Amino acid sequence: MWSDAEEEILAGDLTAALAYATPASGAVATPVAPIGMRDRDARTVSFTTSLGFGRKLDRITRNPRVALAYHAREHGFASEPRFVLVQGTASFQPRVDRALLEDVVRPASARFMGPPRTGPFWDRWLSAYYADRILVTVAVERVCSWSDPRCTGEPSVYGATRPASAPEPQSAPRNGTRPRVDAARARRRLAKLPHVLLAYIDGDGFPVLVPVGVGVASDAGIALAATSLPPGGRRAGLLGHSFRAQLVGLEARQHTGWLESSIYAPHTESGFRAPANKTLLLLANGFMARQGLRRARARGAV
């Protein structure tokens, strides 16, 4: 399904960018930690997410076609500067499988993050964090691999053939296409982050992620530079993120908006910055997981 070059990256990257569809046929991009979880023979890749992120899981349930971009080599085990786009169909068990977490996720996590904190306090404080996680498995339908991380040239393709033509332009949103949040502020925040990716829905219904450069901001939006952008207007997601070793010091900025003629008009914005201290990060993870479990129980997911 993919070559040894892609296998090294799927096995060695600490993080990836996930893209999934919105009900309006747009795309959302968010960072996830696949921590090397993949099965070449079964043609699957996996990542974990929190039950507290109910909207993400609901949208994946409604439209399971997703994409994962393996694009960042920092703090992992892969080294070749290659951009690997995996597209496939996601599935997950709606309930936490503790045996699966112990047998599959925890060993993979320890390889990248080091051994988990243990002891009377940590066992109790992080119990919600571990009980909050579920494994999402993607049945791979296509792998596109560029030797240039900027995605110049034609990729090597494994699996299903890529769509023969660019996706059709979409109808403009009812409330207009111009920015609805401060584009200059969004541009400043994105420009500080080393990884910025654009997500949109391709002609076959699968999300696509491409690396982009952040240009100047204007009343129309943010200028983006990329080797290839789809023609016409469309709903798209924008993600900028950074991370340190063992995922300490995470930062992400996420937008949904409208892309047209390489100008991106942000309509929504969200973001987070995690502590750059491992102990503070674990304390925060435990607190957020408790809140996430409370929300999941309210939805009947736990």
Side-chain angles (χ1 to χ4, degrees):
M1 183 61 180
W2 53 79
S3 77
D4 290 344
E6 289 76 37
E7 174 70 4
E8 178 194 5
I9 287 170
L10 299 185
D13 274 6
L14 173 58
T15 67
L18 168 72
Y20 56 91
T22 69
S25 297
V28 174
T30 186
V32 295
I35 50 177
M37 294 186 295
R38 84 284 173 217
D39 188 327
R40 193 176 183 180
D41 294 333
R43 300 183 178 184
T44 63
V45 297
S46 303
F47 62 92
T48 63
T49 189
S50 167
L51 280 170
F53 296 139
R55 173 176 288 187
K56 177 200 299 182
L57 296 172
D58 290 344
R59 286 181 172 175
I60 290 176
T61 299
R62 186 180 297 113
N63 185 344
R65 288 177 288 189
V66 301
L68 287 160
Y70 294 77
H71 62 288
R73 298 293 94 85
E74 305 100 305
H75 312 303
F77 301 99
S79 58
E80 183 179 353
R82 180 177 290 269
F83 188 99
V84 179
L85 179 70
V86 176
Q87 296 168 304
T89 304
S91 62
F92 59 91
Q93 295 184 8
R95 301 291 187 270
V96 173
D97 186 333
R98 296 302 296 269
L100 191 65
L101 293 178
E102 289 292 334
D103 296 341
V104 177
V105 177
R106 188 166 287 211
S109 176
R111 177 173 171 242
F112 287 86
M113 315 283 200
R117 294 279 180 93
T118 59
F121 170 78
W122 290 112
D123 290 347
R124 182 171 180 272
W125 184 252
L126 293 177
S127 62
Y129 177 72
Y130 294 122
D132 179 45
R133 316 290 310 166
I134 61 169
L135 184 71
V136 180
T137 299
V138 179
V140 178
E141 300 201 21
R142 181 188 299 121
V143 175
C144 300
S145 177
W146 289 262
S147 59
D148 182 353
R150 297 169 298 177
C151 296
T152 59
E154 290 297 314
S156 300
V157 180
Y158 308 90
T161 305
R162 299 174 76 197
S165 58
E168 291 293 325
Q170 296 177 333
S171 300
R174 183 170 53 187
N175 295 329
T177 62
R178 296 185 66 81
R180 301 174 194 170
V181 299
D182 189 326
R185 181 185 62 194
R187 183 262 170 205
R188 288 194 302 270
R189 290 173 170 174
L190 288 167
K192 295 178 181 178
L193 299 173
H195 303 292
V196 183
L197 300 104
L198 179 81
Y200 62 91
I201 304 301
D202 209 348
D204 60 357
F206 280 102
V208 174
L209 288 145
V210 295
V212 295
V214 178
V216 299
S218 67
D219 291 341
I222 305 167
L224 300 180
T227 57
S228 177
L229 291 175
R234 68 194 62 255
R235 300 173 188 269
L238 196 61
L239 166 69
H241 73 110
S242 67
F243 60 98
R244 302 183 188 182
Q246 299 185 357
L247 293 184
V248 172
L250 285 165
E251 183 174 359
R253 302 300 309 175
Q254 296 166 272
H255 297 276
T256 60
W258 183 258
L259 174 72
E260 189 164 5
S261 301
S262 76
I263 301 297
Y264 184 79
H267 291 171
T268 68
E269 62 181 345
S270 61
F272 65 86
R273 180 183 296 172
N277 177 281
K278 184 68 175 285
T279 299
L280 291 177
L281 177 64
L282 291 175
L283 289 171
N285 284 345
F287 176 75
M288 293 172 62
R290 290 166 186 268
Q291 291 185 318
L293 272 179
R294 192 176 299 115
R295 291 193 296 269
R297 289 191 179 105
R299 299 198 317 273
V302 178

